[in-house]
């Protein structure tokens, strides 16, 4: 079966660092994605990991361990506008299909 | 480049009525996806098209939901008849061939009363 787990909610302070964890179980693994979704808006792409290790992109970094089925998204120098839901998604390749399976999302609240 | 377009943005209907949503993907994106996102949950894939062919509709409730992409560009998703539990945001996304990176449209928020 396929399963993705991430915390439901997190709270952090402006200027601080927060780490959002994601664990997954899947067959046909084809990469780990993080999307940001502000309330009432569509998800927007943040990062993609297909190999183990850390990918850094500005204030955001994402880590993947395929052997542990584990990823995290690290947000540095938090800003109020970072308050959003963060969706972990696993790329799944199976025959002709190449799709994303999303977790339920982690709602991050950044406080002053 | 223009993003994924969807219409309408909002729709309110009564149960047992029919509704249709429209999506225009990014130009050149052969793969098109329809997702259902219930409040507080992640998007759930309903159907995936490669050009005008269906490659995955395993989670589409086929007794009431249908989708088509006749010319390999625009797509429509229909619900007939709607149930209360269909209240959700319906997201359309597209991607380049063999790419996992998906670009989402603004979504259609459906409320079934």
């Amino acid at each position: 079966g396929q399963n993705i787990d991430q915390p439901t909610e997190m709270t952090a302070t402006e200027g601080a660092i927060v780490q959002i964890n994601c664990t997954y179980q899947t067959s046909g693994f084809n990469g780990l994605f993080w999307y940001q979704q502000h309330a009432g808006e569509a998800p927007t792409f943040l990062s993609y990991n297909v190999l183990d290790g850390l990918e850094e992109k500005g204030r955001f970094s994402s880590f993947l361990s395929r052997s542990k089925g584990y990823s995290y998204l690290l947000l540095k120098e938090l800003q109020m506008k970072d308050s959003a839901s963060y969706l972990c998604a696993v790329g799944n390749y199976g025959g002709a299909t190449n799709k994303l399976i999303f977790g339920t999302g982690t709602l991050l609240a950044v406080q002053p | 480049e223009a993003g994924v377009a969807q219409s309408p943005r909002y729709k309110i209907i009564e149960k047992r009525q029919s509704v249709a949503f429209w999506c225009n993907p990014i130009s050149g994106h052969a793969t098109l996806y329809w997702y259902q996102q219930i409040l507080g949950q992640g998007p759930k894939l309903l159907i995936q098209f490669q050009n005008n062919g269906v490659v995955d509709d395993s989670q589409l409730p086929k007794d009431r939901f249908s989708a088509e992409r006749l010319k390999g560009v625009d797509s429509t998703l229909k619900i007939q008849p709607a149930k209360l539990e269909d209240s959700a945001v319906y997201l359309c996304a597209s991607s380049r061939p063999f790419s996992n990176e998906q670009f989402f449209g603004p979504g259609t928020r459906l409320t079934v009363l």
Side-chain angles (χ1 to χ4, degrees), chain A residues 30-31 33 35 37 40-43 45 48 87 91-92 96-100 102-105, chain B residues 9 33 35 37 40-43 45 48 55-56 58 91 98-102 104-106 109:
Chain A
N30 192 22
F33 290 75
Y35 279 79
Q37 187 175 28
E41 298 182 12
F45 170 80
Y48 168 57
L87 299 162
N92 179 262
T97 68
N98 195 19
K99 63 185 181 184
L100 292 179
F102 284 87
T104 56
Chain B
R9 292 296 310 279
Y33 311 81
Y35 289 88
Q37 187 174 24
Q41 298 182 19
L45 180 68
Q48 176 183 349
V55 295
D56 189 341
S58 57
L91 294 163
F98 312 110
S99 171
N100 257 338
E101 184 178 351
Q102 298 181 18
F104 285 83
R109 183 176 297 276

Side-chain angles (χ1 to χ4, degrees), chain B residues 4 7 32 40 49:
Chain B
V4 177
S7 67
L32 185 146
F49 290 94

Side-chain angles (χ1 to χ4, degrees), chain B residues 51-71:
Chain B
N51 296 308
N52 61 347
V54 175
V55 295
D56 189 341
D57 63 357
S58 57
Q59 297 196 89
L60 186 74
K62 298 179 185 65
D63 57 333
R64 298 185 300 106
F65 286 63
S66 64
E68 60 183 12
R69 193 184 185 200
L70 292 175
K71 296 182 179 179

Side-chain angles (χ1 to χ4, degrees), chain A residues 59-107:
Chain A
R59 294 190 299 116
F60 293 3
S61 303
S62 57
F63 172 84
L64 175 66
S65 170
R66 288 171 297 170
S67 62
K68 296 181 179 178
Y70 168 68
S71 173
Y72 67 73
L73 180 69
L74 194 71
L75 292 75
K76 304 174 187 175
E77 302 170 13
L78 281 173
Q79 301 176 9
M80 298 299 290
K81 66 179 182 179
D82 297 330
S83 293
S85 182
Y86 291 86
L87 299 162
C88 174
V90 175
N92 179 262
Y93 181 73
T97 68
N98 195 19
K99 63 185 181 184
L100 292 179
I101 301 167
F102 284 87
T104 56
T106 298
L107 186 61

